[in-house]
């Protein structure tokens, strides 16, 4: 398969983790004989510095010319702490979602057995957690009209949903539930918000088309508690933009490391894949950032293009790295590997799937992993 992939490393640790993800994809291309072409472009603070805007037109053009986008991270404390700025790196990501029509953000929350002890939950509560969150990404509070009064003493953010914006993501969520444990939980605040009541009505109407899926309705405050108390009770979660931002972040904390989590953002025509972690500014260029979230984002990319065998190959390599404790300091305090070395091992394993003997010592010495 030929794929043109826009590579937007972004800020902080973004570029270095995305480099490992590209490395894994290059290994896949080599092993399975695909043609993947990578096209770098600027976004976020990096783009503000060079072009004066967080989302240059050239970046939008690159993304639209490509089949898909691989995205690193966004954010720079310099802008967070500057009260006089009206340009933020985050506008780059929000603008890109809008430009590319990415309406569904999909985040798998899986507690892997090898990370059970890293989860803040008791192992018996965390074990077996496997949630797929569908967060609406192109409307709602994030994109409503906002404003502040002349005297600066009052402000507003409008939340609007059109039924069509609800339907398109709801279809995706139902389809996923059909392939999984056939349970869909709509998380909302329909005891208070009109938009939530529209979500509820729409989802209930659509449920008749998916009779095999059990629909559960849950207020967001209750869901926030249940994700901690009984995460295993969830299968697919469907929710609006802002609620999804909070809930998915909360759920990600169960996994044991934010560094290993991936996400997909899907639209009619375009798609974007990114780790869920932020730009982690203090870790930039120190070689300590975990590249696994970025590498698993490449897995979601391959699955999106129906390259399941290829996706599984990366998953196997990641699992092997984790089992052998070949990972970065967030998960391995004793003998951490650098970002690059973790990426090297995973790429090596993809190219040598039958590898059973590893010269672990060589990996630490920066030499070949293969005997
Ligand atoms: C996310 C991030 C973004 C969001 C920020 C960076 C605008 O937190 O992808 O969840 O809130 O959507
Ligand atoms: Mn977020």
């Amino acid at each position: 398969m030929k794929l043109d992939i826009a590579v937007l490393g972004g800020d902080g640790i973004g570029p270095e983790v995305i480099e490992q993800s590209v490395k894994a994809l290059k290994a896949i291309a080599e092993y399975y004989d695909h043609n993947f072409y990578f096209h770098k472009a600027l976004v976020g603070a990096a783009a503000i510095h060079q072009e004066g805007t967080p989302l240059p037109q050239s970046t939008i053009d690159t993304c639209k010319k490509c089949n898909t986008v691989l995205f690193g991270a966004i954010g720079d404390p310099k802008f967070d702490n500057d009260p006089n700025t009206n340009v933020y790196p985050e506008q780059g990501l929000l603008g890109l979602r809008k430009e590319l029509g990415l309406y569904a953000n999909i985040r798998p929350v899986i507690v892997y057995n090898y990370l059970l002890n890293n989860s803040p939950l008791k192992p018996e509560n965390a074990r077996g957690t496997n949630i797929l969150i569908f967060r609406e990404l192109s409307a709602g509070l994030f994109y409503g009209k906002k404003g502040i009064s002349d005297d600066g003493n009052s402000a507003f953010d409008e939340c609007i949903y059109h039924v069509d914006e609800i339907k398109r993501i709801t279809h995706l969520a139902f389809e996923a539930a059909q392939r999984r444990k056939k349970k869909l939980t709509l998380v909302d605040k329909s005891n208070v918000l009109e938009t939530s009541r529209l979500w509820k009505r729409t989802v209930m109407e659509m449920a008749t088309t998916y009779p095999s899926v059990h629909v559960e309705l849950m207020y967001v405050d209750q869901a926030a508690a249940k994700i901690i108390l009984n995460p295993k009770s969830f299968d697919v979660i469907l929710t609006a933009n802002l609620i999804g931002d909070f809930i998915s972040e909360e759920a990600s904390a169960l996994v044991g490391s934010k560094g290993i989590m991936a996400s997909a953002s899907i639209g009619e025509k375009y798609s974007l894949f990114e780790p869920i972690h932020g730009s982690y500014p203090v870790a930039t260029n120190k070689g300590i950032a975990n590249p696994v979230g970025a590498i698993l984002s490449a897995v979601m990319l391959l699955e999106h293009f129906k390259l399941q065998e290829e996706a599984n190959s990366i998953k196997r390599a990641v699992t092997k790295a984790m089992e052998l404790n070949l990972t970065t300091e967030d998960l391995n305090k004793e003998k951490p590997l650098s970002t690059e070395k973790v990426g090297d091992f995973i790429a090596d394993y993809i190219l040598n799937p039958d590898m059973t003997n590893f010269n672990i010592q060589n990996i630490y010495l920066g030499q070949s992993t293969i005997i």
Side-chain angles (χ1 to χ4, degrees), residues 37-107:
Y37 301 99
F38 301 93
H39 308 266
K40 282 193 184 175
L42 286 171
V43 72
I48 299 176
H49 290 133
Q50 287 197 34
E51 314 238 341
T53 161
L55 184 60
Q57 187 57 43
S58 55
T59 296
I60 299 171
D61 294 343
T62 301
C63 292
K64 288 188 174 171
K65 270 188 229 139
C66 287
N67 300 96
T68 187
V69 182
L70 199 53
F71 191 96
I74 209 155
D76 184 330
K78 231 180 71 194
F79 295 90
D80 297 341
N81 303 329
D82 179 357
N84 298 318
T85 188
N86 55 5
V87 51
Y88 294 96
E90 287 78 1
Q91 290 162 342
L93 181 56
L94 295 173
L96 203 57
R97 288 173 181 166
K98 201 67 184 170
E99 278 288 340
L100 302 181
L102 306 173
Y103 63 81
N105 182 234
I106 305 166
R107 295 187 179 184

